[in-house]
DNA sequence: GCCGAGTACCTCGATTTTCGAGGTATCATA
DNA sequence: TATGATACCTCGAAAATCGAGGTACTCGGC
């Protein structure tokens, strides 16, 4: 139901990194988890998801390994690298700074 | 100093609308105000600013009128239309919903 | 009178990202 | 055996930001 899709720009990576910080997960599962956690406020389309995963893998933030899911299907498990953990920390700090700055503008009442 | 420029995506319009909600201002002044208000955390490049203003004018959210600044220079004053005011309200609500959703993912400690 | 810095406008192309739509295949359930 | 959910992937369109470039005016200092 998210109309604020444009806002996702630049945030998707952070969301994925954070999701993986709880442990390995396969692509589809990552999208599901984010959607569930946010009560469907955030929907990650597969056309956004997979390109994002490749991008992050290429940058060395995450690693992929084929495995078998609980439902007995071949899936690709992604996990955070140490670089990815560092990156998450950085992006988290950026997000905090950014939203604080935006708030100064948006929530000022005079 | 903002490295979080990618995050600006989709937020710039809202920031500009909010800035104009205090009254008319010229383009350069809008960027200055945002930068000052956020203690330089948010820097609006002119290559982002002017295209954004035209976009919003085209959509009917803001209006432009040439005038003379306090410093006696020809400047273009932008002001909010009623459509713009409605749009601001909408975008404010979206931003609130969006950040709330992102927070659910990012700030969960388990 | 000249020069530099700051003000103020504008434009262009490159880059990046998200998204929708399309495609394939498997598994469970009815 | 058909349907729906799971799960992967790819492509091109659309949109936005950014840096770098350009013009021109005003003011203060020398």
């Amino acid at each position: 139901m998210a109309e604020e899709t444009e806002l996702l720009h630049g945030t998707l990576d952070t969301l994925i990194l954070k999701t993986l910080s709880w442990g390995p997960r396969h692509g589809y599962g990552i999208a599901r988890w984010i959607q569930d956690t946010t009560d469907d406020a955030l929907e990650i389309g597969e056309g956004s998801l997979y390109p994002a995963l490749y991008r992050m893998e290429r940058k060395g933030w995450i690693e992929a390994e084929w495995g078998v899911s609980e439902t007995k299907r071949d899936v690709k498990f992604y996990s955070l690298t140490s670089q990815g953990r560092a990156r998450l920390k950085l992006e988290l700090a950026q997000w905090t700074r950014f939203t604080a700055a935006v708030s100064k503008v948006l929530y000022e009442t005079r």
Side-chain angles (χ1 to χ4, degrees), chain A:
Chain A
M1 291 288 128
E3 268 174 54
E4 37 265 11
T5 50
E6 328 134 24
L7 291 173
L8 213 52
H9 243 278
T11 313
L12 183 54
D13 288 5
T14 315
L15 292 171
I16 293 175
L17 287 173
K18 179 68 181 184
T19 303
L20 289 179
S21 75
W22 307 123
R25 231 187 190 82
H26 62 275
Y28 199 80
I30 295 171
R32 275 270 169 284
W33 191 79
I34 293 176
Q35 195 168 328
D36 290 347
T37 302
T38 62
D39 296 316
D40 294 336
L42 261 33
E43 283 178 51
I44 315 299
E46 300 184 36
S48 312
L49 174 69
Y50 293 110
L53 289 172
Y54 303 145
R55 189 166 64 228
M56 297 168 72
E57 192 181 4
R58 209 172 52 238
K59 289 181 178 172
W61 301 344
I62 59 178
E63 275 175 342
E65 195 184 5
W66 282 98
V68 178
S69 74
E70 293 180 0
T71 54
K72 304 214 163 101
R73 312 184 63 194
D74 288 354
V75 292
K76 219 191 223 174
F77 283 105
Y78 286 94
S79 54
L80 229 53
T81 63
S82 56
Q83 270 186 64
R85 238 174 298 277
R87 179 71 197 182
L88 171 58
K89 197 175 166 187
L90 178 71
E91 294 199 3
L92 237 29
Q94 282 183 352
W95 172 255
T96 302
R97 272 206 314 273
F98 176 70
T99 51
V102 171
S103 293
K104 280 186 192 166
V105 176
L106 297 190
Y107 299 142
E108 209 174 333
T109 46
R110 72 161 247 91

